[in-house]
Tab-separated table of all heavy atoms in Angstrom:
chain	number	residue	atom	x	y	z
M	94	GLN	N	-78.067	104.085	45.360
M	94	GLN	CA	-77.809	103.171	44.303
M	94	GLN	C	-77.799	101.638	44.839
M	94	GLN	O	-78.257	100.652	44.054
M	94	GLN	CB	-76.364	103.503	43.719
M	94	GLN	CG	-76.211	102.937	42.292
M	94	GLN	CD	-74.814	103.383	41.857
M	94	GLN	OE1	-74.396	104.363	42.010
M	94	GLN	NE2	-74.117	102.340	41.460
M	95	LEU	N	-77.310	101.480	46.053
M	95	LEU	CA	-77.289	100.044	46.621
M	95	LEU	C	-78.677	99.735	47.198
M	95	LEU	O	-78.692	98.747	48.054
M	95	LEU	CB	-76.259	100.034	47.526
M	95	LEU	CG	-74.806	100.063	47.007
M	95	LEU	CD1	-73.721	100.280	48.056
M	95	LEU	CD2	-74.407	98.699	46.314
M	96	ASN	N	-79.651	100.550	47.025
M	96	ASN	CA	-80.973	100.306	47.739
M	96	ASN	C	-80.835	100.154	49.162
M	96	ASN	O	-81.513	99.139	49.853
M	96	ASN	CB	-81.563	98.982	47.037
M	96	ASN	CG	-81.952	99.216	45.520
M	96	ASN	OD1	-82.487	100.371	45.255
M	96	ASN	ND2	-81.643	98.307	44.665
M	97	ILE	N	-80.221	101.009	49.827
M	97	ILE	CA	-80.083	100.907	51.230
M	97	ILE	C	-81.197	101.776	51.940
M	97	ILE	O	-81.148	102.921	51.623
M	97	ILE	CB	-78.677	101.273	51.660
M	97	ILE	CG1	-77.727	100.063	51.247
M	97	ILE	CG2	-78.473	101.525	53.095
M	97	ILE	CD1	-76.287	100.424	51.187
M	98	ASP	N	-81.831	101.049	52.724
M	98	ASP	CA	-82.986	101.855	53.332
M	98	ASP	C	-82.665	102.556	54.527
M	98	ASP	O	-83.177	103.500	54.898
M	98	ASP	CB	-84.130	100.857	53.698
M	98	ASP	CG	-84.659	99.945	52.596
M	98	ASP	OD1	-85.052	100.575	51.561
M	98	ASP	OD2	-84.647	98.659	52.728
M	99	ALA	N	-81.457	102.203	55.122
M	99	ALA	CA	-81.247	102.981	56.353
M	99	ALA	C	-79.669	102.771	56.566
M	99	ALA	O	-79.090	101.603	56.266
M	99	ALA	CB	-81.979	102.446	57.550
M	100	LEU	N	-79.027	103.704	57.305
M	100	LEU	CA	-77.643	103.676	57.496
M	100	LEU	C	-77.427	103.779	59.007
M	100	LEU	O	-78.063	104.640	59.604
M	100	LEU	CB	-76.934	104.837	56.734
M	100	LEU	CG	-75.508	105.008	57.139
M	100	LEU	CD1	-74.524	103.927	56.725
M	100	LEU	CD2	-74.965	106.470	56.622
M	101	ILE	N	-76.580	102.908	59.556
M	101	ILE	CA	-76.252	102.980	61.102
M	101	ILE	C	-74.790	103.377	61.104
M	101	ILE	O	-73.926	102.661	60.517
M	101	ILE	CB	-76.350	101.643	61.815
M	101	ILE	CG1	-77.926	101.265	61.661
M	101	ILE	CG2	-75.993	101.593	63.072
M	101	ILE	CD1	-78.173	99.803	62.236
M	102	VAL	N	-74.528	104.435	61.794
M	102	VAL	CA	-73.181	104.907	61.983
M	102	VAL	C	-72.722	104.704	63.454
M	102	VAL	O	-73.377	105.269	64.209
M	102	VAL	CB	-72.958	106.406	61.576
M	102	VAL	CG1	-71.685	106.891	62.002
M	102	VAL	CG2	-73.369	106.634	60.228
M	103	ILE	N	-71.677	103.904	63.603
M	103	ILE	CA	-71.078	103.798	64.985
M	103	ILE	C	-69.862	104.641	65.083
M	103	ILE	O	-68.951	104.445	64.311
M	103	ILE	CB	-70.648	102.238	65.126
M	103	ILE	CG1	-71.964	101.341	64.886
M	103	ILE	CG2	-70.146	102.027	66.531
M	103	ILE	CD1	-71.646	99.804	65.027
M	104	GLY	N	-69.902	105.636	65.895
M	104	GLY	CA	-68.813	106.437	66.170
M	104	GLY	C	-69.215	107.684	67.115
M	104	GLY	O	-70.061	107.494	67.864
M	105	GLY	N	-68.380	108.675	67.025
M	105	GLY	CA	-68.620	109.728	67.948
M	105	GLY	C	-69.336	110.950	67.395
M	105	GLY	O	-69.877	110.821	66.182
M	106	ASP	N	-69.355	112.055	67.917
M	106	ASP	CA	-70.259	113.147	67.464
M	106	ASP	C	-69.644	113.700	66.180
M	106	ASP	O	-70.462	114.255	65.354
M	106	ASP	CB	-70.376	114.211	68.542
M	106	ASP	CG	-69.080	115.069	68.825
M	106	ASP	OD1	-68.040	114.222	69.247
M	106	ASP	OD2	-69.046	116.206	68.722
M	107	GLY	N	-68.337	113.612	65.975
M	107	GLY	CA	-67.883	114.125	64.621
M	107	GLY	C	-68.376	113.117	63.499
M	107	GLY	O	-68.780	113.703	62.476
Side-chain angles (χ1 to χ4, degrees):
Chain M
Q94 200 184 312
L95 289 163
N96 291 315
I97 288 164
D98 301 309
L100 172 66
I101 298 178
V102 172
I103 305 174
D106 68 302

